[in-house]
Amino acid sequence: MGWIVFIVIVLIAIFFISIYNKLVGGRNAYKNAFAQIDVQLTRRHDLIPNLVETAKGYMKHERETLEAVITARNAAVTGLKNASANPGDPNAVQQLSGAENALSGALGRLFALAEAYPDLKANQNMMQVSEELTSTENKVAFARQAFNDAVMTYNNAREMFPNSVVANMFSFMPAQLLEIESPEKRAVPVVKF
């Protein structure tokens, strides 16, 4: 009788250890997926000063727009640093999402204004940076999708019974999806030069 109780206790312990390990694996998966977003957003943020510097020579009268792009870029860099420190923090991910939306809006205004400058549109450096930025935007979209998939898998695992018992015992907090609020902002910025 003692052996049966011992075996049952061991099996229950193995069951809970298995659940715990699955939750840790899920958390690590979404953190890794966020690291991929970090790489692509950092690349995006690094391209923007080159874009602004190229446009600055042609758009001397558009200083306000150029400054808005740099301000939005700096806010996005700060948001990325905060979210990278803890990709599971819903507030940090929400701030990053807002900062990236503001940056996309500022870039959209810059590209719209650039249409009025034929020499800028024909500038080789501007065309190259714009192409790299568009490519990076696509990579950000794929990385965001992978992150959101990993977050959904983790959140599902932590909310389902009996995993929810283990998740609550060991303080596995829900992770936040990286979302963009409006369908218009979901589209990759169109760059025409």
Side-chain angles (χ1 to χ4, degrees):
M1 188 62 128
W3 284 100
I4 294 174
V5 172
F6 177 74
I7 290 173
V8 168
I9 290 172
V10 167
L11 289 176
I12 291 173
I14 289 172
F15 179 70
F16 278 99
I17 289 169
S18 157
I19 291 172
Y20 179 85
N21 288 340
K22 181 178 180 181
L23 291 170
V24 169
R27 182 175 58 198
N28 290 340
Y30 82 71
K31 285 182 178 182
N32 178 57
F34 189 86
Q36 302 309 312
I37 291 174
D38 187 357
V39 167
Q40 297 307 324
L41 288 179
T42 298
R43 176 169 167 67
R44 178 185 193 217
H45 299 158
D46 290 347
L47 286 170
I48 290 171
N50 296 336
L51 183 72
V52 169
E53 204 53 44
T54 301
K56 195 183 290 184
Y58 294 91
M59 301 173 73
K60 293 180 175 127
H61 305 293
E62 308 294 347
R63 181 180 176 97
E64 186 178 302
T65 300
L66 296 173
E67 288 175 356
V69 169
I70 292 299
T71 300
R73 179 226 180 240
N74 292 341
V77 168
T78 301
L80 181 58
K81 284 180 185 174
N82 292 340
S84 292
N86 186 3
D89 180 9
N91 292 329
V93 173
Q94 207 100 24
Q95 286 177 335
L96 173 61
S97 179
E100 286 298 324
N101 287 335
L103 178 57
S104 292
L107 283 173
R109 288 188 296 281
L110 173 65
F111 290 132
L113 280 173
E115 287 291 317
Y117 296 86
D119 292 341
L120 177 59
K121 287 173 35 176
N123 180 288
Q124 190 66 30
N125 190 34
M126 186 69 164
M127 290 179 356
Q128 180 184 2
V129 172
S130 298
E131 187 176 314
E132 287 181 39
L133 191 57
T134 300
S135 171
T136 301
E137 293 288 343
N138 290 333
K139 292 175 184 174
V140 167
F142 288 123
R144 188 178 65 236
Q145 180 182 356
F147 171 75
N148 285 344
D149 289 346
V151 165
M152 183 188 65
T153 300
Y154 165 78
N155 283 341
N156 284 342
R158 81 168 278 294
E159 292 172 10
M160 292 180 188
F161 183 81
N163 297 8
S164 60
V165 174
V166 175
N168 289 331
M169 284 174 38
F170 292 101
S171 301
F172 282 90
M173 304 308 292
Q176 178 70 39
L177 297 171
L178 182 58
E179 298 177 320
I180 297 177
E181 288 88 34
S182 66
E184 305 84 54
K185 291 183 180 177
R186 288 185 186 271
V188 174
V190 176
V191 180
K192 293 188 237 172
F193 285 104

